[in-house]
């Protein structure tokens, strides 16, 4: 069972991008799968949104690893000469923000 859902954004995330995002999360032992987008972010500095499916808070180990995940994802987009997500936001199942990671942030 997936621990997180990654919102698909057909205008920004292609199949190879989604594979890179899921691989980056898998690298920190978080299983994820794509899900239809429930938010819209038309700005140039877009947010990659994930929904946390686990009960309870996000572990401190996962929180500490999220900046590295964002870096890997941003590197993938940059290597493709495309605009990377500005930040990564982790929401609970009700849409309440749990964690937000921006470049260079330390949780």
């Amino acid at each position: 069972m997936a621990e997180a859902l990654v919102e698909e954004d057909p205008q920004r995330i292609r199949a190879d991008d989604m594979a890179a995002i899921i691989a980056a999360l898998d690298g920190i032992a978080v299983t994820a799968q794509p899900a239809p987008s429930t938010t819209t972010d038309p700005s140039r500095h877009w947010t990659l949104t994930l929904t946390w499916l686990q009960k309870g808070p996000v572990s401190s180990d996962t929180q500490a690893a999220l900046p590295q995940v964002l870096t890997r994802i941003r590197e993938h987009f940059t290597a493709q000469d495309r605009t990377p997500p500005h930040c990564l936001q982790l929401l609970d199942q009700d849409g309440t923000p749990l964690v937000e990671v921006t470049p260079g942030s330390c949780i």
Side-chain angles (χ1 to χ4, degrees), residues 4-97:
L5 299 176
V6 180
E7 285 194 11
E8 298 174 314
D9 183 339
Q11 294 180 356
R12 294 193 170 110
I13 301 174
R14 300 183 307 211
D16 63 316
D17 304 326
M18 185 59 75
I21 293 166
I22 290 173
L25 291 165
D26 190 51
I28 64 164
V30 172
T31 56
Q33 64 186 37
S37 181
T38 59
T39 61
T40 57
D41 186 357
S43 69
R44 183 171 180 272
H45 298 289
W46 62 282
T47 299
L48 176 62
T49 304
L50 286 73
T51 301
W52 190 245
L53 300 177
Q54 301 302 303
K55 299 277 190 231
V58 180
S59 74
S60 59
D61 290 344
T62 298
Q63 286 190 37
L66 286 175
Q68 296 163 337
V69 168
L70 180 59
T71 297
R72 285 186 60 197
I73 293 167
R74 289 177 55 82
E75 287 171 350
H76 165 81
F77 276 84
T78 301
Q80 303 294 318
D81 198 29
R82 298 187 25 254
T83 304
H86 177 70
C87 64
L88 182 151
Q89 186 175 48
L90 191 60
L91 309 174
D92 70 11
Q93 293 182 52
D94 295 324
T96 303

